[in-house]
Amino acid sequence: MKTKEEVFTGFKMSGILMLILNILLICLITVSFIWAVDPSNNGGSIKVAVLIIDTVLFIFNCMFWGGFMQIEPNEAMVLLFFGKYSGTIKENGFYWVNPFYTKKKLTLRARNLDAEPIKVNDKSGNPIMIGVVVVWHVSDTYKATFDIDSESMLTAVAANSATHKVNERMKSYQNFVKVQSDSALRSVAGMYSYDHSGTDNPNDLTLRSGGEEINDILENQLNERLSIAGIHVIEARINYLAYAPEIAAVMLRRQQAEAIIAARE
């Protein structure tokens, strides 16, 4: 049983070539059908055989149209054969595969998440507002397709359009990233104080002075949480950091007093 992304190794051919063959086949079926129903032509048993063959070929021709697929740059197509994962195609182009394959398209393009600031408590217990910007993309199509439930989040309208379905699926991933981003923010904020006023050692790492080090810790935590969904975080940065409104005025006066005392010393 496959449990990770694999390259599709089944039969795959040029979509343009198959399109030409399919058009030629329908033309052949049309010509032979016209010949078979023409009363001026003799050969009763042959005509019956031709009509049967035409019917079978027409059914196959209709099925063949379902095998076409187009993959744009930074897109991937996940293929299933009667519920069994058969592989992923990432090569750009127009292709034809067995029409009995179920096709699920994913975009591998980078996406931004600008999360609204949330209220959390820092290491000292002070309520603070903290926000994050996350740049992410799908890195493992198997995990993204089968290890999290995105299908149940698709709307009925999206199910009628392949393009809308892809967009809705990516929105469900975006929501997954947002929830995990909030969780990671709460975890990181609880590990450090807002600034050095809440620490005994002036060299301790804080949310306000941590800079890139705090961002790296946040990025690592996000990658740990999102790896189950086949999502990789390219960059995560804290873009908003402030005391919560209910203590902001008090902490401002405290900072001013500390600055005055430091100046006198």
Side-chain angles (χ1 to χ4, degrees):
M1 180 180 176
K2 299 177 181 178
T3 58
K4 61 180 181 179
E5 178 183 294
E6 295 184 7
V7 178
F8 177 72
T9 57
F11 178 76
K12 175 175 96 263
M13 65 179 294
S14 169
I16 298 296
L17 177 59
M18 189 61 190
L19 181 63
I20 295 173
L21 294 176
N22 230 23
I23 293 174
L24 291 176
L25 179 60
I26 195 67
C27 291
L28 177 62
I29 294 172
T30 303
V31 171
S32 60
F33 179 79
I34 293 174
W35 177 86
V37 297
D38 188 352
S40 63
N41 294 328
N42 298 322
S45 59
I46 297 178
K47 285 185 176 183
V48 173
V50 170
L51 287 175
I52 294 174
I53 294 172
D54 281 349
T55 302
V56 173
L57 290 178
F58 180 75
I59 293 173
F60 277 104
N61 183 267
C62 292
M63 292 192 313
F64 288 162
W65 291 106
F68 293 101
M69 62 182 185
Q70 179 175 299
I71 304 177
E72 299 178 2
N74 280 324
E75 285 188 346
M77 191 72 75
V78 178
L79 300 179
L80 292 86
F81 189 70
F82 293 103
K84 183 179 180 181
Y85 175 63
S86 299
T88 301
I89 301 176
K90 295 183 178 179
E91 298 137 8
N92 310 331
F94 183 51
Y95 300 105
W96 184 88
V97 295
N98 188 328
F100 288 103
Y101 280 118
T102 300
K103 308 173 191 69
K104 296 179 180 289
K105 181 180 285 189
L106 295 175
T107 176
L108 308 179
R109 301 182 180 102
R111 288 179 169 244
N112 279 325
L113 171 67
D114 187 2
E116 291 290 329
I118 58 174
K119 183 188 291 187
V120 299
N121 292 330
D122 69 357
K123 184 178 180 180
S124 303
N126 297 318
I128 61 174
M129 300 296 294
I130 186 169
V132 65
V133 171
V134 181
V135 183
W136 62 276
H137 71 104
V138 173
S139 59
D140 190 313
T141 57
Y142 180 92
K143 290 182 178 180
T145 304
F146 305 112
D147 286 357
I148 62 171
D149 184 13
S150 62
E151 292 295 329
S152 63
M153 303 179 192
L154 302 183
T155 64
V157 175
N160 297 327
S161 168
T163 302
H164 287 170
K165 195 168 185 178
V166 173
N167 292 336
E168 289 296 318
R169 184 179 291 116
M170 297 311 296
K171 286 180 181 178
S172 70
Y173 296 149
Q174 184 97 347
N175 183 62
F176 186 85
V177 173
K178 182 182 184 306
V179 173
Q180 295 303 321
S181 296
D182 290 351
S183 175
L185 269 180
R186 294 180 187 279
S187 176
V188 172
M191 294 165 57
Y192 304 97
S193 298
Y194 176 84
D195 57 20
H196 288 111
S197 62
T199 64
D200 297 328
N201 188 344
N203 295 322
D204 285 346
L205 188 66
T206 66
L207 297 173
R208 189 175 179 183
S209 64
E212 290 300 321
E213 193 170 348
I214 292 293
N215 290 332
D216 289 342
I217 294 172
L218 177 61
E219 184 177 320
N220 291 333
Q221 288 221 10
L222 276 172
N223 275 319
E224 289 178 5
R225 286 172 163 81
L226 296 175
S227 61
I228 188 178
I231 295 173
H232 175 69
V233 174
I234 301 172
E235 183 181 22
R237 306 182 71 83
I238 294 175
N239 68 334
Y240 184 88
L241 182 64
Y243 281 112
E246 58 266 29
I247 68 165
V250 175
M251 298 307 294
L252 178 61
R253 288 196 296 270
R254 178 180 175 178
Q255 291 173 356
Q256 290 172 341
E258 289 177 349
I260 293 172
I261 293 173
R264 288 177 178 174
E265 290 178 350

